[in-house]
Amino acid sequence: MTALTSLTNAMATWDPDLDRHAERVATLAEVMAHRLGWSEDRLEGLRLGAALHDVGKTTLSLELLTKPGTLDDDELAQIRAHPVEGMWLIVGVETLAPAMPYVLFHHERWDGLGYPTRRAGEDIPVEGRLLAVADAFDAMTSQRPYRPALTLDDAVAEVQRCSGTQFDPEIASALLDAVESGVVTRRAA
């Protein structure tokens, strides 16, 4: 069994929603990457990174992951640690090295207010910037324990509003173009 299979199986077993979310994020991110002109080699890394981007959540309690209410400061800190925890799960596994920038940087923000490193703009690897948009869009358009799914129009409005602050404007534009052209509907899957 490969390291990728072991980790994705662990994610699916721990929380089946993690696995379904990873699949939707991968599909959406690939659509965006095509629009940005990414090569097939780069797309292979994207598929790996999207599959594993939330692997660090397997270190959290299922109770925390499915909590229906507001998180307290300690719970929020635990959730925000998942990119670093994910990094520790894949570091040193040569075949998983292309996933690292997706796993570690998918919660960074264009304006530097993200986590875990508070990088800003182009100091955030493009892989993390791309996945940040795909991950957030899927989260917005999916039912969550703490809130209902947004409509497509509301999610698009949020991406537009956050372009240039939370999201890289060029990458946000790739998503918005995919929605406008009908390639992306309610969500990526």
Side-chain angles (χ1 to χ4, degrees), residues 16-45:
D17 286 337
L18 283 178
D19 188 47
R20 290 188 293 268
H21 168 68
E23 289 174 9
R24 293 188 305 267
V25 168
T27 300
L28 182 58
E30 192 165 341
V31 166
M32 295 163 51
H34 277 292
R35 290 182 172 277
L36 293 166
W38 284 25
S39 68
E40 184 56 38
D41 285 346
R42 211 165 184 192
L43 292 174
E44 286 300 316

Side-chain angles (χ1 to χ4, degrees), residues 112-178:
L113 298 177
Y115 60 91
T117 67
R118 297 183 64 90
R119 291 183 185 201
E122 293 185 2
D123 286 341
I124 305 164
V126 69
E127 296 89 349
R129 289 183 271 142
L130 178 82
L131 216 60
V133 176
D135 183 52
F137 188 80
D138 182 67
M140 286 186 265
T141 58
S142 299
Q143 180 80 23
R144 295 296 172 118
Y146 50 88
R147 61 140 183 81
L150 296 181
T151 66
L152 179 64
D153 289 343
D154 288 343
V156 164
E158 186 67 7
V159 171
Q160 289 170 330
R161 185 182 72 77
C162 295
S163 178
T165 55
Q166 182 174 350
F167 304 127
D168 175 327
E170 181 182 6
I171 293 173
S173 181
L175 170 67
L176 297 171
D177 289 346

Side-chain angles (χ1 to χ4, degrees), residues 20 72 82 86 90 93 107 138 153:
R20 290 188 293 268
D72 64 31
H82 85 269
I90 68 171
V93 181
H107 282 293
D138 182 67
D153 289 343

